[in-house]
Every structure is written in C-alpha cells, then in structure tokens.
Amino acid sequence: MDAVLQQARTRGANRVHRIVLRIGALAGVEPEALRFAFEVVTRDTLAAGSTLQLEAVPARAFCPVCAAEFDAGMDYVFSCPTCGQLSCDLRQGRELELAQIEMS
Amino acid sequence: MPFGIKVLRFVAPGILRANTLPAVEQPAPLVGANVAAVRETVDLRVPLLAKNDQIAAGNRANFRARKILALNLVSSPGAGKTTLLSRTLDEFGLTTKCAVVVGDLETDNDARRLARPHAPVAQITTGTACHLDAGMVAKSADSLDLTGVRVLFIENVGNLVCPAEFDLGEELRVVLLSTTEGEEKPLKYPPIFKTAHVVLLTKIDVADALGFDRALAAENIRRIAPQAKLIQLSARSGEGLAEWYALLSAHLFKS
C-alpha cells in the first residue's frame, strides 16, 4: 500500500480505482488472503473501494542439460519434461509486483 | 561484562506501518462521467518486497566488504539450531572468530545459551513477527563489535514458512531438518528448501530409534533442492560435524 499511495501522490491523483498486481505461482502469496487484507489496508486511504486485480505469472524453470526453459508446475520439483534433469534455476514465477494503477 | 549480549526489541512491522501511515482524507465520491474523463492507467513494474531486498543487498555488501561470511540458519522450532551453534562456537569458533544474531519471538534464552567470551551474540526479540527481516539484521549487526569476526551466524526465528521470502543479506542459506520431523518435510514445505544452499539433516544419532529413513529424506531433499549441499550430522554425538566445519572453512573469505 505504501508503494501504491506513493505513486498516487507523486502523480497528484486523488483516488485510486484499480490496482493490478503480478503474482508468481511460487511467490508464496495466497490470493484469498491478499484480497482479505486488501480491503482492510485500503480502508480510509485514497484506494478505498478500489478493485484489486491479480495477474498470475506461471513458474518457468531452466534445464541446464537441454539449455531450455520449461513449465515448472506448482510442486517445487522442477523436473525437465525432456530429459528428467532436476533444476533449481527458476526463471519466472516468484514475482510480486505492482504492475498497474488506475487513478484519477 | 565478559559477554556481549544486547537485546533489541522490534515492533511488528505491520503494527508499525499502521501507526505511521499518514491519515488520508476520504475523497468525496466522484460522478461517473467526470471520473472517466480524468482517469489514467499507469504501467509500473515495482517489486513489492523491494524494501527488504534493498536492505539485504546493503547487508550483503557490508558483510562482504568486512570479509564476514554470513549464514542464515532456518528450520522449524526445535530442529537443533541453537544446539548446533553452541557446539560450533565451542569447537570451530575457538580458531575462527564467530558472532551470532539470534531471533525469537520472546526471551533472550538463546543468546544466553550461545554467549561465549570469544563470540559476540545479539538477541532479536521480534514480538509477534514470525521471521527476521533484513532491517532487523542490519540493526543488530551494528550493535555488535564485529572486529575480527569471520563468520556471522544468523539464527532465524523457528519457522519453515515465512523466512523463505526474506533475504537477510546472507551468503549462504542453511536449512536444518531434524530426524524427529519426518522424511517428508522437504516435500511439505518446499519453498524454504528450494532456496537453500546447504541442508543439514540433524539429530541423526536418534534416527534409528525413530525409524527415520535417512536415504528417503536425502532423496526428498534432492528432489526439491538439487542445488543444495547435504550434510548429515548430530550436534550431540559429533558425527558429521567435521564436514560442517569443513564447509564453513571452505566458504570463508580470504583474510
């Protein structure tokens, strides 16, 4: 919320209507818990009553043997579908980003 | 005062933020047409854990500049972090100067257990926070005399979930799994194991009595954390400790 309000203030906005967050599949963020908290933390701020939009970012890992990215799934065992190699090299999926704000 | 125990008390970050956030007046509801006319959508790519990550990067640069090897020790409560550190200070710590920052919700019991004349120790009590963050580590490291210290052990709050998301500026993340916890912990709590550089399987002296399958545990760890170095040890019997000390020695910064 600090980040959202700071952006709103620097742009001279009076009201925040929509907040878009990018959430990686393995970011450790529970969308339901986030939505629940969102209502509480936005109360009495510029963003009161705004819409929270969550964009899911799928997890992608890199196989060092095939030198290629693959879908890592959700279970934290990153096993290359081509060669079976286990990888720990996550290239995408841990994002927790403020992607967009709609304000006026 | 032969020992350097300092107790730092932190207010839970959530509460702090709620109190310091400036009150903003609720804007009057705007008429739909007017709103549409002046609404703008701004594209941003602001990482939201940025604040912690920035402080962690500062810690890392600071520790590296001072040639201090910082380790973040993470595990469930009761996996044996403090027992391992006590013995490490008594053995490895006699020839290589070590310091400890230890986090718990309450009490300075761990700091008192760990305090040695040759090792500065700081206790962080987090109140209700379930993990250490980079800011707490920065402040407590500042409170210690780190002159000559080559290894800083950061004993995190016993918790296998939240510490995974908070970089403290450590060089190595060490995750402990004790034989009393069962072989499946790495599969059940994968994020923390995924980020480990080192996994220590502790309390192996009682593995047989517990019917703990060490090979199965090792395989589960390998599936989740193929990158991690696995050491099996017992801080009580001493088995495997030589390998642990060798790992610490190998990662020391050249003085």
Side-chain angles (χ1 to χ4, degrees):
Chain A
M1 274 317 294
D2 289 349
V4 169
L5 296 177
Q6 191 195 328
Q7 291 289 342
R9 271 190 229 105
T10 50
R11 287 161 207 275
N14 295 315
R15 183 142 188 199
V16 173
H17 302 277
R18 193 168 57 95
I19 297 169
V20 183
L21 301 181
R22 296 180 77 235
I23 313 257
L26 302 179
V29 172
E30 284 302 325
E32 279 312 307
L34 189 62
R35 287 186 187 285
F36 181 77
F38 183 77
E39 207 188 302
V40 178
V41 299
T42 52
R43 205 174 284 164
D44 302 326
T45 73
L46 292 179
S50 60
T51 309
L52 176 65
Q53 188 180 328
L54 303 180
E55 274 179 14
V57 182
R60 302 268 300 165
F62 184 80
C63 172
V65 176
C66 303
E69 277 192 17
F70 60 91
D71 281 325
M74 289 289 292
D75 63 355
Y76 287 88
V77 179
F78 306 159
S79 180
C80 175
T82 312
C83 71
Q85 172 76 24
L86 291 168
S87 164
C88 64
D89 188 355
L90 190 68
R91 294 292 169 92
Q92 175 190 301
R94 284 192 46 78
E95 293 79 357
L96 174 50
E97 276 179 2
L98 177 57
Q100 227 177 41
I101 308 177
E102 189 182 332
M103 53 191 148
S104 60
Chain B
M1 279 286 289
F3 304 147
I5 306 177
K6 287 165 186 157
V7 179
L8 304 177
R9 178 166 286 272
F10 282 83
V11 179
I15 297 166
L16 196 81
R17 215 174 289 132
N19 289 339
T20 54
L21 202 68
V24 178
E25 269 183 45
Q26 183 82 26
L30 298 170
V31 182
N34 292 343
V35 177
V38 292
R39 269 193 199 194
E40 62 165 336
T41 301
V42 184
D43 282 313
L44 305 156
R45 291 292 287 267
V46 182
L48 288 182
L49 284 176
K51 203 167 171 184
N52 183 75
D53 288 348
Q54 281 164 11
I55 302 171
N59 287 350
R60 189 168 284 113
N62 179 26
F63 295 144
R64 283 180 181 170
R66 301 179 71 172
K67 297 180 188 271
I68 297 169
L69 172 66
L71 298 95
N72 179 6
L73 275 76
V74 194
S75 76
S76 319
K81 295 183 294 299
T82 311
T83 303
L84 175 66
L85 283 184
S86 296
R87 184 146 180 187
T88 302
L89 293 179
D90 286 340
E91 296 177 349
F92 180 83
L94 287 182
T95 50
T96 306
K97 190 166 181 187
C98 301
V100 184
V101 168
V102 52
D104 282 296
L105 269 62
E106 286 296 345
T107 83
D108 60 357
N109 290 357
D110 275 5
R112 285 192 277 118
R113 269 176 74 189
L114 289 165
R116 304 283 189 282
H118 59 277
V121 176
Q123 175 82 46
I124 302 174
T125 48
T126 59
T128 56
C130 53
H131 56 268
L132 295 180
D133 66 39
M136 297 177 188
V137 170
K139 278 190 194 168
S140 55
D142 277 349
S143 75
L144 289 174
D145 178 9
L146 295 177
T147 311
V149 167
R150 301 194 65 196
V151 182
L152 174 66
F153 295 105
I154 305 163
E155 183 183 330
N156 217 314
V157 178
N159 180 348
L160 220 43
V161 183
C162 311
E165 306 303 326
F166 289 84
D167 183 7
L168 304 180
E170 71 269 22
E171 205 64 38
L172 296 176
R173 186 174 284 195
V174 181
V175 180
L176 287 76
L177 168 68
S178 73
T179 56
T180 58
E181 297 172 64
E183 302 89 349
E184 290 185 348
K185 267 272 171 76
L187 305 179
K188 291 176 176 171
Y189 297 81
I192 194 81
F193 287 92
K194 200 79 212 172
T195 59
H197 299 99
V198 180
V199 176
L200 302 179
L201 183 60
T202 63
K203 308 188 189 180
I204 55 168
D205 55 319
V206 293
D208 288 345
L210 295 164
F212 183 87
D213 185 340
R214 284 162 61 174
L216 175 59
E219 172 58 18
N220 287 343
I221 291 165
R222 195 186 66 86
R223 280 170 61 79
I224 297 294
Q227 79 285 356
K229 163 84 178 160
L230 173 65
I231 298 178
Q232 304 193 20
L233 54 78
S234 163
R236 191 160 68 172
S237 74
E239 190 181 350
L241 288 180
E243 198 182 344
W244 163 238
Y245 300 151
L247 177 129
L248 294 174
S249 296
H251 282 89
L252 287 176
F253 289 104
K254 305 276 180 289
S255 55

